[in-house]
Amino acid sequence: MSSSSFQPPQRVLMGPGPSDVHPRVLAALAKPTIGHLDPAFVGLMDEIKAELQYAFQTANEMTMPVSAPGSAGMETCFANLVEPGDEVVVCVNGVFGTRMKENVIRCGGTPVIVEGEWGRAVDPDQVRDALKAHPDAKIVAFVHAETSTGARSDAAAIAAIAREHDCLSIVDTVTSLGGIELKVDDWGLDAVYSGTQKCLSAPPGLSPVTFSARALEKLKARATPVQSWFLDLSLVMGYWGEGQQRSYHHTAPVNALYGLHEALVMLHEEGLENAIARHRRHHEALKAGLEAMGLSYVVPQDERLPQLNAVWIPDGVDDASVRRRLLEDYGLEIGAGLGDFAGKVWRIGLMGASCTKRHVLLCLSALETVLAEAQAPIERGAAVEAAAAAYAA
Ligand SMILES: *Cc1c(COP(=O)(O)O)cnc(C)c1O
């Protein structure tokens, strides 16, 4: 056994997350650890809550980061809101919708599946039909930005349908927060979870969540306690709640929260609208380059996520060896296909600090070189020029 410090290689992260972490955020992580009940830390917690309210565009009191990755934010929503016997409409158009279904079952609920095509947005009419067929349903759950396919669903429309039928909405915004428009209050979303390592560009390991007053009412009215002690929000709020008096629930990941705070400050400095416009601008340039090369998108234009570009792998090209070359020769990570799309699709992320002109141009030139070496049927020499033209437009 060699006992020495770990030196991570230099990478450029353009997959489905984590994205590149800004040096300011890395520096924040390295600041001295203080106690999780230190008055200075309580002040930081309040700032994080306020910054998250801005990022989510919500006035929800119950807004805070769960001390675990996005999947724990997902479990927080389901564990607190789904009671044994509850019917829950779950929209499944990719990997993360499938996980929502699994959560409903494990909470003792009965999932009603709205089956969608992979690579397409959830169809709001199908949601309406499911609610008509299941008038006792209590919750509608869906993924706003399906990272496994690159499809964006109309969260405002689906949440409105849920409300018409007196249902709460549980919404996965892990990849949407900070990358595309997301208006929790205006759209009437009830229980919303996200992640730190996608468009916020903080390290993985925390999951911002926000709960509406309606969602908290359902939590308060539960007949049985939340099965998970750790994720039970009525207990977590003793620590993350109002005022100076905070009681110990678990030891917060102090330094990870320094990092999240810095990432949120950077989002605020840039401005949410500007961050969203930036994701769109670089997506347009990347798209122009990829299409000039002859690659085609999985998702139809008006249902696409700018921050997650899923393209079909050209015929006869070996998925793994291309990604290995990109990593070895350029330090560039792009995402493989997940689930049904494994081996068929590449997922190129433009998230947070990984959404810059430098990233777009590196990705296009590296991918073109590697594909040309692999004798792939692509158009050579066109991609970077097409991207430059898109920037100039
Ligand atoms: C990444 C992701 C998750 C899971 O987040 P982890 O931090 O990996 O647990 C959930 N939903 C979506 C849409 C994601 O992209």
Side-chain angles (χ1 to χ4, degrees):
M1 187 188 100
S2 91
S3 200
S4 56
S5 305
F6 176 65
Q7 294 299 340
Q10 288 240 342
R11 299 291 191 222
V12 178
L13 301 178
M14 297 186 71
S19 53
D20 283 348
V21 177
H22 194 280
R24 270 178 64 180
V25 175
L26 292 175
L29 291 163
K31 288 182 180 169
T33 304
I34 59 174
H36 66 289
L37 291 167
D38 188 307
F41 192 69
V42 170
L44 180 81
M45 290 164 75
D46 287 341
E47 285 185 29
I48 290 171
K49 282 166 67 176
E51 291 291 359
L52 283 177
Q53 286 172 328
Y54 168 71
F56 276 126
Q57 296 283 285
T58 183
N60 287 340
E61 214 53 21
M62 180 46 248
T63 302
M64 53 113 204
V66 173
S67 302
S71 305
M74 182 188 279
E75 297 242 17
T76 297
C77 293
F78 287 93
N80 281 275
L81 296 181
V82 178
E83 288 183 81
D86 281 355
E87 266 190 328
V88 180
V89 172
V90 182
C91 306
V92 179
N93 63 338
V95 166
F96 294 102
T98 310
R99 290 188 178 181
M100 286 180 145
K101 175 183 116 189
E102 197 58 39
N103 268 268
V104 171
I105 294 167
R106 289 179 188 223
C107 292
T110 307
V112 173
I113 303 302
V114 169
E115 194 78 54
E117 204 182 313
W118 278 49
R120 297 300 307 270
V122 171
D123 177 2
D125 289 334
Q126 270 181 276
V127 177
R128 192 176 279 115
D129 292 345
L131 287 169
K132 279 188 192 141
H134 297 271
D136 292 335
K138 299 227 164 59
I139 296 170
V140 173
F142 64 95
V143 179
H144 183 208
E146 231 323 333
T147 324
S148 63
T149 68
R152 161 200 210 139
S153 291
D154 188 342
I158 300 166
I161 293 165
R163 289 207 163 204
E164 278 164 31
H165 293 264
D166 234 6
C167 284
L168 295 174
S169 53
I170 293 180
V171 190
D172 180 321
T173 67
V174 174
T175 284
S176 47
L177 186 68
I180 53 173
E181 189 179 56
L182 168 62
K183 294 178 183 284
V184 167
D185 286 1
D186 286 1
W187 297 351
L189 314 181
D190 292 302
V192 181
Y193 61 92
S194 191
T196 45
Q197 77 275 32
K198 317 254 170 154
C199 295
L200 295 182
S201 270
L206 294 170
S207 179
V209 298
T210 184
F211 275 59
S212 72
R214 292 193 337 143
L216 291 179
E217 272 166 39
K218 186 170 193 313
L219 172 59
K220 279 199 202 98
R222 284 183 69 106
T224 53
V226 172
Q227 185 278 329
S228 164
W229 177 86
F230 182 68
L231 299 177
D232 184 343
L233 283 179
S234 50
L235 304 177
V236 175
M237 278 316 273
Y239 179 54
W240 273 97
E242 287 296 289
Q244 273 303 302
Q245 209 45 50
R246 308 291 167 96
S247 54
Y248 168 64
H249 175 261
H250 63 280
T251 310
V254 170
N255 291 58
L257 289 166
Y258 296 164
L260 174 59
H261 179 264
E262 191 66 18
L264 290 168
V265 165
M266 289 183 68
L267 178 65
H268 211 147
E269 283 172 3
E270 180 178 18
L272 200 47
E273 302 267 299
N274 293 332
I276 291 165
R278 173 168 55 85
H279 283 86
R280 170 134 307 275
R281 183 167 71 253
H282 295 298
H283 159 75
E284 290 298 338
L286 180 71
K287 178 187 77 173
L290 293 172
E291 289 182 342
M293 219 186 286
L295 299 180
S296 52
Y297 272 78
V298 171
V299 178
Q301 177 117 33
D302 56 351
E303 298 173 10
R304 253 175 231 165
L305 292 169
Q307 67 273 50
L308 197 288
N309 296 261
V311 291
W312 297 109
I313 297 174
D315 283 341
V317 170
D318 183 56
D319 168 29
S321 67
V322 167
R323 284 186 292 105
R324 194 179 328 111
R325 283 257 71 78
L326 290 173
L327 198 63
E328 286 175 2
D329 295 354
Y330 301 88
L332 175 64
E333 178 181 284
I334 65 168
L338 212 54
D340 292 358
F341 282 169
K344 299 181 187 147
V345 162
W346 286 318
R347 293 179 301 150
I348 304 175
L350 285 174
M351 300 181 181
S354 290
C355 183
T356 72
K357 193 170 184 173
R358 187 168 67 87
H359 286 82
V360 168
L361 297 179
L362 169 70
C363 177
L364 290 173
S365 57
L367 191 58
E368 184 182 300
T369 309
V370 170
L371 285 175
E373 282 165 6
Q375 315 290 329
I378 57 150
E379 187 69 33
R380 300 187 194 180
V384 168
E385 207 170 305
Y391 280 124

